[in-house]
Amino acid sequence: MPLSWSRQAIARREEALAVESDHLKLIEPTSLGLDHLGIQTAGSSINDLLAFVKARVADSDAFFAPPAPARPHVDGNRLTFPSPDPSGVPENDVVSCRLFEGRSKGRAVIVLPHWNSMAANYEGMGNWLRRLGLTAVYVSLPYHDERRPPGDLVGSGLVSANLGRTIRSCRQAVADARAVVGWLRERGYRRIGVVGSSIGSSLASLVAAHEPRVKALAQLLTASDFGEVVWTGRATRHVRQAFEGSLTLEQVNAAWSVLSPIAYVRRLRDRRVPVLAIAGRADRVFLPYLTERLLRSYREQGVRHESAWYRCGHYTVADFPWNALAMVRLARFLRRHL
C-alpha cells in the first residue's frame, strides 16, 4: 500500500479485508459460562461471574499459576505437547507450535498470533526473527490451527458471547505460552521475550505480567480493555450483537477485566519489563482511543515503554510499507532488550 494512499482508501481496504470472514461469524446466544470456570451456584447471574473475576484479578498469580515446562514431541520444526490447562476438548488440548531456531543459544521470542490466524501467516515473521539470530516459537492459540474442532470456523472457542469460556480459553493460552518459556529455559535460553499481535498482544501482556522469566514485551496492535475491544471492534460486532439487550458494556468490561492488559500495568512496572506498542491510526478493530488509554496508563504508572503509530488499520498493517516499518521497529526493540 503506497504511503500516499488516503484515509478513505485505507478504510475501503480495511473493510474489504474485514468482510471476507463475516459470513462465517454466527451470532451465538449469550452465556455466562460459569461451568467453564468451576463456579457452582444455586442460580446463575452476572453478579456471580463479576464476583469471581474481581477475586481473580486481586490474586492473578493464583489464577495464572505457572505450569510445568512443556515436554514437546519434536517433528522437524513442529512441536506438540499436551496443554497444561486442558479444556476437555481433545483437539484443543494438544498445543501445536512452530520452531524457528536461530544461531543465538541464549535469546528467544515466543510469538502469539492474532485471532483466526493460521501458522502459515507467521512463517515470514518466524524466518525473519531467525535471520536476526533469535530463536522464535510460534504458539498456536486455543481452538486454532490443528487445535480447531470440526465446525469451529472462526476460532469461536477462544472469543465468543460465552463469557466464561472466553476467560478459560485465554487462561489456557497463557498457560501454554508459559509452558514453552519453561521449555526454552531448560534448553539454556536466558533472554526470552514475547511478541503478540492483536488478541495475541493482550495474551502476551498477561504472560509478561505473570511470567518472571520474560524480559521484554512487544505488542503489535494493542488496547487497554478486552471487553471494550470486543464491544467496539469491527471484527467482533457479531459478539456485541449477541450481548445487546442482555448485557451492558460496563458488565462485559468488568467480566473480562481479568483478561485486560490495563489491569496488570503495575506488574509490568514492578518487574521493569520494557514494552513496545505498535498501533494503527486507522484501526477499526482495536480503536485508537483504547490504545491511547493503555499508553497513558504506561506513562502514569512509570512502565518503560516506547510506541509507534502508523497510518494503517488493523488488517493493512500486514501490507507494505507498514509491515516493513513495524518489523524494523520490532527488530531494534528486541536487539536492545534481549
Side-chain angles (χ1 to χ4, degrees):
M1 179 179 291
L3 283 167
S4 60
W5 272 41
S6 67
R7 181 180 301 176
Q8 292 77 15
I10 293 172
R12 287 194 297 270
R13 168 76 170 155
E14 283 283 307
E15 182 61 21
L17 293 170
V19 78
E20 289 179 356
S21 61
D22 276 354
H23 68 288
L24 302 175
K25 297 175 180 177
L26 305 178
I27 300 175
E28 302 177 24
T30 297
S31 173
L32 297 178
L34 303 184
D35 54 316
H36 290 278
L37 301 172
I39 302 174
Q40 305 294 331
T41 62
S44 58
S45 73
I46 184 65
N47 290 331
D48 295 319
L49 178 59
L50 297 185
F52 173 90
V53 167
K54 184 176 181 180
R56 297 315 178 274
V57 172
D59 189 12
S60 60
D61 275 325
F63 188 64
F64 296 108
R71 297 284 183 264
H73 171 73
V74 182
D75 182 9
N77 77 329
R78 185 169 178 265
L79 312 177
T80 55
F81 62 93
S83 174
D85 189 9
S87 64
V89 178
E91 298 91 345
N92 179 50
D93 289 340
V94 178
V95 183
S96 177
C97 304
R98 299 294 186 274
L99 174 65
F100 302 86
E101 200 152 15
R103 63 181 179 274
S104 171
K105 296 304 179 183
R107 301 181 301 152
V109 175
I110 290 174
V111 178
L112 298 178
H114 61 279
W115 184 45
N116 209 26
S117 65
M118 296 182 294
N121 299 140
Y122 286 80
E123 288 284 333
M125 177 184 283
N127 285 318
W128 175 78
L129 290 168
R130 178 167 55 191
R131 287 194 294 272
L132 290 178
L134 301 169
T135 287
V137 183
Y138 165 95
V139 182
S140 61
L141 299 181
Y143 302 95
H144 284 63
D145 296 314
E146 295 94 332
R147 307 177 68 174
R148 182 171 294 178
D152 187 353
L153 301 177
V154 289
S156 59
L158 181 65
V159 179
S160 72
N162 187 316
L163 294 167
R165 184 177 66 185
T166 298
I167 293 170
R168 209 216 162 287
S169 297
C170 290
R171 185 183 68 177
Q172 184 181 32
V174 173
D176 297 342
R178 294 187 70 182
V180 175
V181 172
W183 178 72
L184 287 168
R185 288 279 296 188
E186 287 189 344
R187 298 186 74 207
Y189 292 92
R190 292 295 179 265
R191 303 293 299 177
I192 301 173
V194 59
V195 176
S197 178
S198 189
I199 190 174
S201 75
S202 297
L203 299 171
S205 180
L206 301 182
V207 173
H210 294 90
E211 177 50 70
R213 295 168 294 187
V214 166
K215 304 302 181 184
L217 166 64
Q219 299 173 292
L220 312 181
L221 307 172
T222 191
S224 55
D225 298 271
F226 193 101
E228 198 160 348
V229 164
V230 173
W231 189 273
T232 60
R234 170 64 178 83
T236 47
R237 63 185 183 186
H238 64 296
V239 181
R240 174 175 176 171
Q241 288 173 331
F243 287 149
E244 287 179 328
S246 58
L247 295 172
T248 66
L249 168 59
E250 290 72 22
Q251 289 173 320
V252 173
N253 244 351
W256 280 341
S257 60
V258 71
L259 305 177
S260 294
I262 202 166
Y264 306 109
V265 169
R266 289 184 180 180
R267 296 181 66 96
L268 294 176
R269 177 201 63 192
D270 292 345
R271 294 196 50 246
R272 298 186 59 79
V273 178
V275 179
L276 168 67
I278 290 175
R281 292 290 183 193
D283 197 332
R284 296 175 61 204
V285 178
F286 282 30
L287 300 187
Y289 81 89
L290 293 171
T291 306
E292 291 282 13
R293 182 185 293 170
L294 182 60
L295 293 176
R296 182 167 61 251
S297 183
Y298 285 162
R299 291 192 296 271
E300 292 172 351
Q301 298 297 329
V303 173
R304 293 192 296 161
H305 73 284
E306 57 190 84
S307 61
W309 287 88
Y310 303 121
R311 288 199 308 114
C312 60
H314 203 83
Y315 302 102
T316 48
V317 72
D319 290 341
F320 184 82
W322 319 117
N323 56 357
L325 294 171
M327 290 303 98
V328 168
R329 188 65 180 263
L330 176 61
R332 291 173 180 167
F333 175 79
L334 295 176
R335 283 171 172 163
R336 188 159 59 248
H337 296 290
L338 291 183

